[in-house]
Amino acid sequence: MRRLALTTLAVTLAVVFAPPASAYSAPSASAYPAPSASAYPAPGRVTGDVGVHDPSMVKRPEGGYLVAHTGNDIALKTSADRTAFRNAGSAFPGGAPWTSTYTGGSRNLWAPDLSHRNGRYWLYYSASTFGSNRSAIFLATSPTGASGTWTHRGLVVESRTTDDFNAIDPDLVVDDQGRWWLSFGSFWSGIKMISLNPATGLRADSTLRSLAGRDGGPIEAPTIVKRGAFHYLFVSFDYCCRGASSTYRVMVGRSTSVTGPYLDRAGRALTSGGGTEILAGQGGVHGPGHQDVFGDTDHDILVYHYYADNGASLLGLNWLGWDSAGWPYVH
């Protein structure tokens, strides 16, 4: 993210937010037609320590959920039920000195991507400073996901001020052939993709692919998931990090190939500024974005942050449905 250098969100917010009408019961998808831009649902009910920025969430094999988000040394949270959340420390409680070249010495690390594969947790995360593309994405792994159990695995990709891209906001996707890919990017020439070595999780070759862009305009935070015949690329348009004045919104395009080309619902290429909006701010929900998507036992889940009227950055969770044409919608 091209963002403010956020400090760790350490204040526990014991608040309850208005849930969707479903309150996470299980109505049929037909009960939820695709919403209009002026009638998006409220975030689902969450409680406890729900102050987050750039959340990524995974269902744990033993049950419950683990969340990683922007904060000092990468902040962690856990939940037993996807409703009540608690602080679980940080990935690197002793610090991550290998990132200081990119952070100017700050311990604030950004925009993690969390997943569980091959019996362990994989964490891709960003190191940078606000407004700069002197940035890097690193990898760490853990057997449990707990604070202090993460092992630094190395630099994955970096960008320099002479590059036309920004190496932040990583997202791992594994295709049907078992190939590993990392999408990333923020502003500059947009969203990029590289190939990874599945054995190490590190970069496999020198090819840099382009997935989406807005001619230098605000686009970031890619997330790719496969549903049916299509890969769906979710991105955030516009601006985060401005409190209640933030204008983030969630957009999507799809492709039959993980490497693109991605088109929106109107057939516009995401590399030419296309994108179909599926969530935007309304009422007391400002700038929802930096989305993550994961499949749970009941529904696909859209995870994101948004800003309250007082500027606090909070966890948003909603069901993600798919209409008869195969396009996602939030409910």
Side-chain angles (χ1 to χ4, degrees):
M1 289 178 18
R2 191 180 191 184
R3 69 195 75 204
L4 203 55
L6 299 167
T7 56
T8 303
L9 293 163
V11 178
T12 298
L13 302 171
V15 290
V16 177
F17 300 98
S22 64
Y24 291 152
S25 59
S28 67
S30 62
Y32 292 95
S36 68
S38 61
Y40 292 120
R45 178 176 177 264
V46 292
T47 64
D49 190 349
V50 295
V52 305
H53 206 271
D54 314 327
S56 182
M57 191 175 195
V58 65
K59 188 176 181 68
R60 309 181 86 163
E62 69 273 21
Y65 303 85
L66 180 66
V67 177
H69 61 95
T70 289
N72 282 356
D73 309 315
I74 297 294
L76 302 173
K77 287 181 170 55
T78 58
S79 174
D81 58 5
R82 215 176 67 201
T83 298
F85 290 82
R86 67 175 185 84
N87 185 352
S90 65
F92 310 112
W98 55 87
T99 65
S100 61
T101 296
Y102 308 92
T103 65
S106 171
R107 294 178 70 162
N108 190 252
L109 300 173
W110 300 347
D113 174 69
L114 182 65
S115 61
H116 187 274
R117 298 180 184 279
N118 303 332
R120 58 180 169 171
Y121 293 89
W122 300 74
L123 180 71
Y124 292 90
Y125 59 97
S126 316
S128 190
T129 56
F130 179 61
S132 172
N133 73 327
R134 180 61 176 129
S135 309
I137 294 169
F138 292 91
L139 170 64
T141 62
S142 166
T144 66
S147 175
T149 67
W150 291 91
T151 299
H152 171 51
R153 297 298 182 184
L155 173 70
V156 182
V157 60
E158 67 176 338
S159 55
R160 300 178 181 272
T161 55
T162 53
D163 289 319
D164 70 347
F165 65 94
N166 195 5
I168 60 173
D169 292 6
D171 177 72
L172 171 67
V173 60
V174 178
D175 68 20
D176 290 343
Q177 289 73 49
R179 298 174 299 182
W180 287 38
W181 306 92
L182 192 77
S183 61
F184 60 90
S186 172
F187 287 68
W188 276 268
S189 62
I191 306 303
K192 306 300 181 184
M193 173 178 273
I194 58 173
S195 171
L196 301 178
N197 181 338
T200 64
L202 302 179
R203 190 168 184 175
D205 59 35
S206 61
T207 303
L208 184 69
R209 300 162 176 84
S210 293
L211 301 185
R214 300 180 76 193
D215 196 24
I219 179 174
E220 55 193 11
T223 296
I224 297 175
V225 297
K226 174 87 181 295
R227 294 293 182 270
F230 292 100
H231 295 86
Y232 293 83
L233 171 61
F234 298 82
V235 295
S236 294
F237 274 15
D238 301 336
Y239 297 93
C240 80
C241 313
R242 300 180 176 187
S245 298
S246 299
T247 56
Y248 247 10
R249 52 198 176 106
V250 181
M251 314 293 288
V252 70
R254 71 185 186 185
S255 173
T256 55
S257 169
V258 69
T259 57
Y262 287 89
L263 306 178
D264 68 13
R265 194 160 194 160
R268 297 170 298 185
L270 266 64
T271 49
S272 299
T276 297
E277 184 182 284
I278 63 166
L279 185 65
Q282 62 166 346
V285 175
H286 307 281
H290 204 100
Q291 62 292 319
D292 191 17
V293 176
F294 74 98
D296 208 341
T297 53
D298 57 346
H299 287 84
D300 285 330
I301 306 298
L302 182 72
V303 184
Y304 55 95
H305 74 246
Y306 69 95
Y307 297 89
D309 288 337
N310 66 1
S313 181
L314 305 174
L315 177 65
L317 294 178
N318 287 91
W319 288 345
L320 189 70
W322 306 88
D323 69 17
S324 59
W327 286 95
Y329 63 94
V330 179
H331 62 109

